[in-house]
Amino acid sequence: MREQKKQATREALSAAALRLALERGPDHVRVDDIAEAVGVSVRTYNNYFSSREQAIVAAINSEREAWVAAAVADQPDDVGLAAAIIEAIVDQYTDPGVPSREALLMITTRPALREAFFDTTSALEHPLTDAITRRLGDIDPHTARVLAASVAAAVRVAIEQWLHATAASVTAGGLVVPSGSLADLLRSTLAPLTPALDAAEQRAHRPAAS
């Protein structure tokens, strides 16, 4: 119950941050405003987020990293590790409902929000490390973490390129013009990691020497 309450508070704070930012513009939203909207203290807010930008992008990110890790762990055994990771990431990061057009415009036109959004990709490392370890079983923990960190870095590169391209395609009237496929960018940046993921999987499944 305690963890559920903490998660509910985090979600309420991030939702309030995004709503206020869309209503007023992010430059006119203070941490005090976000905390007041949820009925908690600024001290409580600081237990969850270190800045308003972090809270805003948390609402857009919508705990995506945990869903990616769960999807990887739940893939059937006959699906290779590389395919499981790539498909899970593409599915979660190209959900057509997140972010909204207004939220996307806000992120792409403000460098501080773009940077905060880039930084959310690092949160993928630890849950994905656990998912790789559960999936492969007999794998060195350092190898699992390096693989997960590499995946997180590839995702960041794809999202950074996509958001910068999208920012450059915002029209004078504030319309976001599609700048290319995020799914294609994700597949492209993750593709070089396939040999390393395949090799780790083969080592984990190799019969022990007698």
Side-chain angles (χ1 to χ4, degrees):
M1 289 295 293
R2 183 179 180 183
E3 288 303 315
Q4 290 177 351
K5 184 176 180 181
K6 288 172 63 177
Q7 182 62 26
T9 301
R10 177 182 172 84
E11 291 175 357
L13 286 167
S14 61
L18 178 59
R19 175 177 57 79
L20 291 172
L22 289 171
E23 290 174 356
R24 306 177 185 178
D27 295 338
H28 301 289
V29 177
R30 302 174 304 163
V31 167
D32 308 59
D33 299 327
I34 302 169
E36 182 180 355
V38 179
V40 300
S41 66
V42 172
R43 182 177 180 181
T44 296
Y45 174 94
N46 289 333
N47 289 333
Y48 294 90
F49 301 108
S50 61
S51 67
R52 66 183 177 189
E53 288 82 11
Q54 192 180 74
I56 291 168
V57 300
I60 297 169
N61 206 46
S62 191
E63 307 302 325
R64 189 180 286 118
E65 292 78 17
W67 286 104
V68 168
V72 170
D74 292 343
Q75 284 287 339
D77 292 340
D78 59 351
V79 176
L81 177 62
I85 288 175
I86 291 172
E87 292 310 312
I89 287 172
V90 170
D91 285 348
Q92 290 298 321
Y93 278 85
T94 57
D95 182 340
V98 180
S100 68
R101 188 186 73 83
E102 294 80 5
L104 177 60
L105 176 62
M106 183 171 64
I107 292 172
T108 56
T109 55
R110 288 170 172 82
L113 284 176
R114 285 204 305 269
E115 189 61 33
F117 193 74
F118 300 155
D119 288 344
T120 63
T121 60
S122 63
L124 179 62
E125 178 182 331
H126 292 295
L128 187 56
T129 297
D130 292 340
I132 291 172
T133 300
R134 290 198 304 272
R135 189 171 177 86
L136 299 187
D138 186 16
I139 183 173
D140 176 74
H142 299 301
T143 300
R145 186 171 180 185
V146 167
L147 290 172
S150 300
V151 169
V155 171
R156 177 188 170 105
V157 169
I159 291 176
E160 186 172 4
Q161 290 181 3
W162 185 69
L163 283 182
H164 277 305
T166 302
S169 66
V170 175
T171 68
L175 178 66
V176 178
V177 178
S179 59
S181 169
L182 176 56
D184 289 345
L185 268 174
L186 286 166
R187 292 183 191 280
S188 178
T189 58
L190 289 165
L193 301 180
T194 296
L197 293 166
D198 288 344
E201 189 170 33
Q202 290 168 6
R203 285 195 298 270
H205 294 161
R206 185 180 300 158
S210 56

